[in-house]
Amino acid sequence: MNIPNMLTLFRIALIPVFVIMFYLPFSWSFMASAVVFVLAAVTDWLDGFLARRRQQVTPLGQMMDPLADKLLTSAAFIALVQMVTEQQTAWFTIPALVVVGREILVSALREWMAEIGKRTSVAVSWVGKVKTFVQMLAIITLLAVDPGKGGPWLALGYILFYAAAALTLWSAVLYVRAAWGDLSDAATRPGRAN
């Protein structure tokens, strides 16, 4: 167990702390949950940086790091969808579903490509990194603002959220396109019955 892997496990351990902070019945709970989310997001950057710098990239870390990210962002999206008012639910739920659906699709695609020995074909791209950054920024902005008060920060959070959803769709298309030849071959090759 190295430091990058411990940071990844720490990020996973922060998820229930984040959820508890989010649902506390206090006026400061929005900001507290945003702070916990920021701490988790910093560990995401730090574990990758340390793993590369110290040459401590491990198969466990390669599997756990994206899983931790997906668990953290999914928990945040579920909490945020529940928080928005009924009039805004569809406008928020649809992009949240796009983001979570893309994460599931790309995870399944990466796993399948790894099984056939072509994981590098669907390695993280710069679009994926930008998507993650904008997504984290949107979540932090939306968490830190009391939705009942609205204002320019809430509007900025929504703009960032829609930008993240657009980048999410774009990166999903890039991943599927990178794997398309193998997907097409697999679709025409006979397989075993389930």
Side-chain angles (χ1 to χ4, degrees):
M1 185 62 64
N2 58 35
I3 292 173
N5 288 347
M6 286 191 284
L7 285 169
T8 300
L9 292 174
F10 177 65
R11 184 159 71 257
I12 293 171
L14 282 175
I15 295 169
V17 176
F18 159 75
V19 172
I20 289 167
M21 288 295 180
F22 183 84
Y23 285 107
L24 285 176
F26 301 111
S27 60
W28 48 262
S29 67
F30 295 115
M31 188 56 73
S33 65
V35 169
V36 173
F37 191 90
V38 167
L39 178 60
V42 168
T43 68
D44 179 28
W45 171 82
L46 188 59
D47 67 16
F49 173 78
L50 290 175
R52 287 184 296 277
R53 171 67 61 97
R54 301 171 130 205
Q55 298 179 344
Q56 293 180 328
V57 176
T58 64
L60 176 67
Q62 288 178 317
M63 190 244 338
M64 291 298 291
D65 183 60
L67 177 63
D69 296 344
K70 286 162 186 43
L71 289 171
L72 178 65
T73 55
S74 295
F77 285 136
I78 290 166
L80 287 167
V81 164
Q82 183 271 329
M83 177 183 71
V84 297
T85 65
E86 268 189 45
Q87 295 82 12
Q88 298 170 317
T89 301
W91 297 109
F92 196 87
T93 303
I94 291 168
L97 286 172
V98 165
V99 172
V100 173
R102 178 264 185 204
E103 299 299 353
I104 294 167
L105 169 73
V106 170
S107 293
L109 187 60
R110 281 189 183 138
E111 183 179 327
W112 181 72
M113 292 296 280
E115 276 185 31
I116 64 170
K118 296 190 176 182
R119 183 177 176 90
T120 56
S121 300
V122 287
V124 176
S125 68
W126 69 269
V127 175
K129 291 179 189 256
V130 171
K131 179 269 309 175
T132 300
F133 176 75
V134 174
Q135 188 174 289
M136 296 286 189
L137 203 54
I139 291 170
I140 292 164
T141 304
L142 290 168
L143 286 173
V145 177
D146 182 341
K149 295 182 180 171
W153 286 107
L154 187 62
L156 175 63
Y158 277 110
I159 291 166
L160 288 168
F161 187 53
Y162 273 89
L167 287 166
T168 295
L169 280 175
W170 183 18
S171 68
V173 167
L174 293 177
Y175 283 117
V176 170
R177 193 166 52 182
W180 190 252
D182 296 304
L183 289 169
S184 297
D185 290 345
T188 58
R189 194 176 337 127
R192 27 186 192 113
N194 290 334

